[in-house]
Amino acid sequence: MFDKILIANRGEIALRILRACKELGISTVAVHSTADADAMHVRLADESVCIGPPPSKDSYLNIPALLAACEITGADAVHPGYGFLSENARFAEILSDHNLHFIGPKAEHIRLMGDKIEAKKTAKRLGIPVVPGSDGAVTPDQDAMVIAKKIGFPVLVKAAAGGGGRGMKVAHTEADLQLALTTAANEAKSAFGDASVYLEKYLQKPRHIEIQVLGDGRGGAIHLGERDCSLQRRHQKVWEEGPSPVLDAAARAKIGNTVGKAMQELKYIGVGTVEFLYEDGEFYFIEMNTRIQVEHPVTEMITGIDLVLEQIRIAAGGDLPTTQDAVVINGHSIECRVNAENPVSFRPSPGKILQYHPPGGLGVRIDSAVYQGYVIPPYYDSLVGKLIVHGKTRVECLMRLRRALDEMVVDGIETTLPLFRALVREPAIIDGDYHIHWLEQYLVGQKAD
Ligand code: ADP
């Protein structure tokens, strides 16, 4: 096992990793920018190192500073969390060159899945169903129109290097295609430094359903069921739940086993998520995330498996925590991502938290790094915290979520709590009857009222 882990992240996920380390008896090193000197992860870690000024590129993305922090503190492993350097294959390689463990998959798998075109080809080869689309990137000498017509409109132009919903444009008709191609390519070039784009059939009312996997790197892999993340705004997940209201045990086992087998064949190590769109009973692979995800607590609540702790154990050479047959999905869980944003305009609302009261009680979990008096800096994401609720059934879970949301107090800044309080009372949400465009349509309706 590792002696000392450096946590190359901030906010709630840094705290989440720190908790797993403490339970495992591993010493922790927090790193922070000058803007985060008072942050909770810094206060709770055994040691801390300031790695630079507020902008992420000068601090949390600053590889030389992180290496120096490892050197100074004698850390033997680095946990990257999510975002920042978590899916940077080069970072994993550099750590290994310095005899440091990267708590994550092999660099080759990060690289493979980071290129969405390669990822899709790999998925296809491994027997995972994919969205119909172009065979790889659309090159200038190819006639994109011919490919698009073959797929059938509407089509989606996507960036090969995409992430966070950027570099994605829909062409509803033939007339839209050229503009969609150039805007997506320009956006991809400026966001990722790579203008390559590919085409996919644009699914009209799919759900976003993702499968959590865990691999030991030696050909052993299990799946831990699914999370339904269909409630999204600008391709960003807002509310996640598991199990999905639309999957039965047979459908879950079928897609889960397909994904599990694929991970065994890849000899994948650590945690990963294979993301699908789901429409009319069919799954379509969109991408794989080779890291711990924001919404991982949903799976923890319904399986009882501590994903971050297992991630660390496995990175240190440990075995899978259980066999596939022994994985039991127990009850229902919902996560709300509470952001420091105006609940109507979604304008960021950084600033000082004057009052903070997290809800409690049976089946209620808060993953957050804020406290009363904490000042949310304007430089990073606007996540205040995740409210995660568990119940024996979806009905019980919704009841519990309703009262937990009503109990929660975050004053001094604007948050998206009012949005969740409304959503949890919406008939479509109560019925589980929503798709990936539902939330944006609902928000347009709210503005019109
Ligand atoms: P990113 O890596 O930028 O997050 P993804 O491929 O994961 O991109 O897609 C993000 C979201 O975009 C999905 O959850 C879904 O809402 C939407 N999306 C992606 N591909 C399609 C598609 N073929 N049809 C319809 N919506 C899509």
Side-chain angles (χ1 to χ4, degrees):
M1 187 41 86
F2 307 121
D3 292 321
K4 197 185 267 192
I5 293 179
L6 180 136
I7 302 164
N9 215 301
R10 64 181 300 282
E12 68 87 20
I13 194 64
L15 208 55
R16 172 69 190 85
I17 298 162
L18 201 135
R19 287 178 174 143
C21 293
K22 295 231 168 183
E23 289 180 18
L24 288 166
I26 301 170
S27 305
T28 50
V29 180
V31 292
H32 66 91
S33 69
T34 49
D36 278 340
D38 293 329
M40 204 58 157
H41 74 282
V42 178
R43 295 185 183 195
L44 290 183
D46 297 312
E47 290 168 77
S48 65
V49 180
C50 179
I51 49 166
S56 304
K57 66 172 182 19
D58 302 322
S59 50
Y60 298 102
L61 294 172
N62 182 344
I63 297 178
L66 287 163
L67 288 175
C70 287
E71 174 86 31
I72 296 164
T73 56
D76 52 352
V78 174
H79 196 307
Y82 54 67
F84 296 131
L85 295 165
S86 61
E87 287 175 299
N88 185 318
R90 189 75 198 110
F91 181 54
E93 284 164 350
I94 292 172
L95 288 179
S96 154
D97 291 345
H98 289 76
N99 286 323
L100 292 161
H101 288 270
F102 174 75
I103 302 177
K106 297 169 195 151
E108 68 175 281
H109 289 155
I110 302 177
R111 196 162 277 134
L112 185 68
M113 294 302 170
D115 181 325
K116 299 181 96 173
I117 292 174
E118 283 308 311
K120 208 170 159 183
K121 279 187 188 156
T122 307
K124 222 168 161 177
R125 177 171 65 74
L126 296 170
I128 295 176
V130 301
V131 193
S134 58
D135 251 346
V138 186
T139 51
D141 52 304
Q142 278 176 321
D143 192 346
M145 185 59 79
V146 175
I147 305 172
K149 278 189 185 158
K150 210 169 128 203
I151 303 168
F153 282 91
V155 297
L156 187 61
V157 185
K158 294 174 87 170
R166 280 172 303 174
M168 238 189 268
K169 289 284 169 278
V170 188
H172 290 280
T173 63
E174 291 175 26
D176 302 337
L177 184 64
Q178 200 46 51
L179 184 63
L181 281 167
T182 30
T183 11
N186 286 343
E187 212 171 293
K189 177 86 188 147
S190 65
F192 314 109
D194 175 0
S196 19
V197 292
Y198 61 106
L199 297 182
E200 239 172 36
K201 175 143 199 70
Y202 182 66
L203 301 170
Q204 311 264 353
K205 286 187 172 180
R207 299 184 76 111
H208 173 118
I209 298 182
E210 55 187 38
I211 309 288
Q212 176 71 54
V213 292
L214 203 50
D216 65 7
R218 299 183 285 271
I222 55 173
H223 76 87
L224 300 175
E226 80 282 6
R227 294 183 289 261
D228 192 320
C229 315
S230 304
L231 283 179
Q232 304 182 349
R233 187 182 159 267
R234 297 200 172 161
H235 303 301
Q236 297 293 319
K237 297 161 189 167
V238 170
W239 157 309
E240 301 100 346
E241 62 179 300
S244 167
V246 296
L247 281 199
D248 59 21
R252 170 172 313 113
K254 185 163 179 259
I255 190 68
N257 290 333
T258 302
V259 170
K261 280 212 183 73
M263 293 305 119
Q264 290 168 5
E265 207 173 316
L266 267 187
K267 292 200 167 62
Y268 186 78
I269 185 164
V271 298
T273 303
V274 181
E275 299 193 333
F276 294 93
L277 294 178
Y278 177 79
E279 195 170 63
D280 299 330
E282 299 290 335
F283 282 94
Y284 303 97
F285 170 87
I286 44 173
E287 68 167 343
M288 177 170 183
N289 290 141
T290 53
R291 56 170 163 83
I292 193 79
Q293 283 191 289
V294 178
E295 60 273 24
H296 76 274
V298 166
T299 301
E300 296 184 326
M301 302 300 270
I302 57 174
T303 61
I305 294 174
D306 184 324
L307 285 170
V308 177
L309 188 142
E310 294 306 336
Q311 193 184 14
I312 297 170
R313 276 191 49 253
I314 289 171
D319 293 327
L320 293 174
T322 180
T323 58
Q324 188 66 62
D325 291 347
V327 174
V328 182
I329 305 291
N330 172 23
H332 196 92
S333 179
I334 299 174
E335 173 181 280
C336 298
R337 297 193 193 189
V338 181
N339 283 343
E341 288 169 354
N342 176 287
V344 178
S345 68
F346 295 94
R347 211 182 29 246
S349 175
K352 187 169 184 171
I353 297 180
L354 299 177
Q355 288 209 56
Y356 179 61
H357 175 76
L362 184 63
V364 177
R365 165 175 171 182
I366 288 275
D367 276 22
S368 171
V370 308
Y371 52 86
Q372 199 151 308
Y374 175 68
V375 179
I376 298 184
Y379 311 103
Y380 314 106
D381 70 31
S382 54
L383 188 65
V384 172
K386 306 181 304 201
L387 168 61
I388 309 117
V389 167
H390 181 261
K392 286 193 290 294
T393 58
R394 188 167 186 271
V395 171
E396 188 181 272
C397 192
L398 284 167
M399 270 165 41
R400 202 162 266 167
L401 179 59
R402 212 167 291 142
R403 74 98 179 135
L405 283 164
D406 289 346
E407 213 175 293
M408 187 163 179
V409 178
V410 185
D411 273 352
I413 55 163
E414 290 182 303
T415 74
T416 48
L417 276 170
L419 170 66
F420 290 113
R421 291 187 186 123
L423 286 179
V424 76
R425 291 171 171 86
E426 260 311 300
I429 302 288
I430 294 169
D431 294 344
D433 182 18
Y434 55 83
H435 52 80
I436 60 167
H437 307 298
W438 185 90
L439 182 59
E440 292 198 345
Q441 289 163 4
Y442 166 85
L443 291 169
V444 171
Q446 293 301 103
K447 273 207 179 124
D449 281 349

